[in-house]
C-alpha cells in the first residue's frame, strides 16, 4: 500500500519509523511519502493560512497550496502514473464521520491513500468539496491538527495489511472485529500479588476456554460498552449468561465486576 501524508509538520509523523508500522515499511508492505505543504506555498513567507470569511477566531488554511499539492500528488499525471488511478483522499477532522474498525478494514483494501492534515480552524471547505473522499474524526474531542489522527488511522490500517501481524488470528479475534470487547488476558505466574489466573485458562480444555472467553467478552461488553451490544446477534446462550449475571441483553444494570470475571 502507498500512503502520502501532506502536513506543515512532517516531523510530527516520525513515529511511522517505529515498531509495527516501521517494520511494515522496512519490509516493503507500506510505502509512506511525507510532504511539507509549505513547498506548495507561492509567496516568499510560505504562507498557508488566512483570516476566515465572516470573521471569528483563528485562521483557515488557504486553498491554493492544497490545490497545488493534491494536483501534483494525487491528480491525473501525478508523480506516480504507475499507480494507474486516483488515491483515496482522507481529511482527518473533528467534524468528520467516526473512525471505526470497519472503516480501517475498508482502507486496508485500498492500494493508495492520501491524508491531508489540517491545522488552525481547518482547511478551506472548497478543497474538501473538490478533492476529499472521506472526512473522518477519531473521537469526540478536539486536537490541534490532523497529524495525530493520521497516526492513529495508519496504525489501525497497517496491522490489517497481509504479512504485518504474524498470527493472522490475532487480528480476527480483536476487540471490535467480532463486535465484542476481548476477554482479559493473563501470563505467568499463576498467582501474583494474591490474584489468581482463572482456573479454566490452566485446564487445557480448549472447548471450555473458548466458552469462557466468549462469555467473559460478552459480560465485559455488556458492562463497559452496552452500546456495542445492540449491533451483535446474541444467541440464547448469550442471553442466558447476561441474565445470570444480572444484565439485560443491552447491558442495562450490571452485576459483573469491571474485569467481567465469570464464575466457573
Ligand atoms: Cl481527525 N482532527 C482534529 N483536529 N481533531 C480531532 C480529530 C481529528 N478527531 C477528533 N478530534
Amino acid at each position: 500500500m502507498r500512503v502520502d501524508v501532506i502536513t506543515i509538520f512532517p516531523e510530527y509523523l516520525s513515529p511511522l519509523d517505529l515498531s509495527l508500522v516501521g517494520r511494515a515499511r522496512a519490509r516493503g508492505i507500506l510505502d509512506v511519502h511525507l510532504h511539507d505543504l509549505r513547498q506548495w506555498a507561492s509567496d516568499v513567507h510560505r504562507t498557508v493560512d488566512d483570516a476566515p470569511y465572516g470573521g471569528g477566531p483563528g485562521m483557515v488554511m488557504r486553498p491554493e497550496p492544497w490545490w497545488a499539492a493534491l494536483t501534483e500528488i494525487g491528480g491525473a499525471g501525478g508523480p506516480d502514473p504507475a499507480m494507474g488511478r486516483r488515491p483515496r483522499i482522507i481529511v482527518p477532522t473533528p467534524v468528520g464521520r467516526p473512525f471505526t474498525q470497519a472503516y480501517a478494514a475498508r482502507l486496508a483494501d485500498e492500494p493508495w491513500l492520501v491524508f491531508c492534515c489540517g491545522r488552525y480552524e481547518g482547511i478551506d471547505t472548497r478543497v474538501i468539496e473538490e478533492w476529499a473522499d472521506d472526512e473522518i474524526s477519531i473521537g469526540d474531542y478536539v486536537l490541534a491538527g490532523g497529524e495525530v489522527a493520521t497516526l492513529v488511522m495508519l496504525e489501525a490500517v497497517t496491522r490489517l495489511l497481509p504479512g504485518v501481524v504474524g498470527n493472522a488470528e490475532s487480528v480476527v479475534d480483536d476487540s471490535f472485529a467480532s463486535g465484542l470487547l476481548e476477554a482479559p488476558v493473563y501470563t505467568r505466574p499463576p498467582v501474583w500479588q494474591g490474584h489468581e489466573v482463572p482456573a479454566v485458562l490452566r485446564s487445557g480444555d480448549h472447548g471450555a476456554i473458548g466458552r469462557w472467553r466468549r462469555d467473559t467478552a460478552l459480560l465485559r461488553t455488556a458492562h463497559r460498552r452496552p452500546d456495542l451490544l445492540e449491533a451483535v446477534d446474541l444467541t440464547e446462550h448469550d442471553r442466558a449468561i447476561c441474565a445470570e449475571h444480572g444484565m439485560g441483553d443491552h447491558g442495562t444494570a450490571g452485576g459483573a465486576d469491571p474485569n467481567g470475571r465469570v464464575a466457573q
Side-chain angles (χ1 to χ4, degrees), residues 38-49 62 65:
R38 289 192 200 278
Q39 77 186 87
W40 289 283
S42 51
D43 64 308
V44 286
H45 297 111
R46 303 258 163 231
T47 312
V48 294
D49 61 335
R62 296 172 51 169

Side-chain angles (χ1 to χ4, degrees), residues 187-211:
T187 186
R188 287 182 288 188
V191 182
W192 178 78
Q193 300 280 317
H195 299 266
E196 197 167 340
V197 174
V200 62
L201 295 179
R202 293 180 284 145
S203 69
D205 179 344
H206 291 285
I209 291 169
R211 284 191 300 279

Side-chain angles (χ1 to χ4, degrees), residues 22-208:
R23 274 200 310 279
R25 295 174 71 186
R27 287 156 60 188
I29 297 170
L30 186 67
D31 177 25
V32 176
H33 300 251
L34 302 179
H35 308 275
D36 185 345
L37 178 70
R38 289 192 200 278
Q39 77 186 87
W40 289 283
S42 51
D43 64 308
V44 286
H45 297 111
R46 303 258 163 231
T47 312
V48 294
D49 61 335
D50 203 342
Y53 272 115
M59 300 290 270
V60 174
M61 292 189 115
R62 296 172 51 169
E64 302 94 327
W66 282 106
W67 203 275
L70 286 165
T71 302
E72 190 174 325
I73 294 165
D80 199 353
M83 293 302 293
R85 54 177 286 179
R86 240 172 120 297
R88 186 173 195 98
I89 298 179
I90 298 153
V91 178
T93 164
V95 301
R97 287 186 297 127
F99 185 65
T100 61
Q101 188 66 25
Y103 178 71
R106 286 230 304 281
L107 293 187
D109 281 336
E110 295 276 345
W112 185 12
L113 306 175
V114 174
F115 289 88
C116 302
C117 300
R119 284 258 144 189
Y120 317 116
E121 294 299 310
I123 303 171
D124 186 301
T125 299
R126 294 167 293 182
V127 174
I128 292 161
E129 287 169 351
E130 188 72 20
W131 284 94
D133 294 295
D134 303 308
E135 291 178 85
I136 301 294
S137 164
I138 63 161
D140 292 341
Y141 39 79
V142 178
L143 303 171
E147 288 79 8
V148 170
T150 296
L151 289 171
V152 167
M153 291 190 261
L154 277 179
E155 186 162 309
V157 169
T158 301
R159 56 190 294 292
L160 298 178
L161 298 177
V164 171
V165 172
N167 177 1
E169 268 180 37
S170 76
V171 175
V172 173
D173 276 355
D174 276 344
S175 288
F176 301 110
S178 69
L180 297 178
L181 303 181
E182 273 190 282
V185 294
Y186 301 87
T187 186
R188 287 182 288 188
V191 182
W192 178 78
Q193 300 280 317
H195 299 266
E196 197 167 340
V197 174
V200 62
L201 295 179
R202 293 180 284 145
S203 69
D205 179 344
H206 291 285

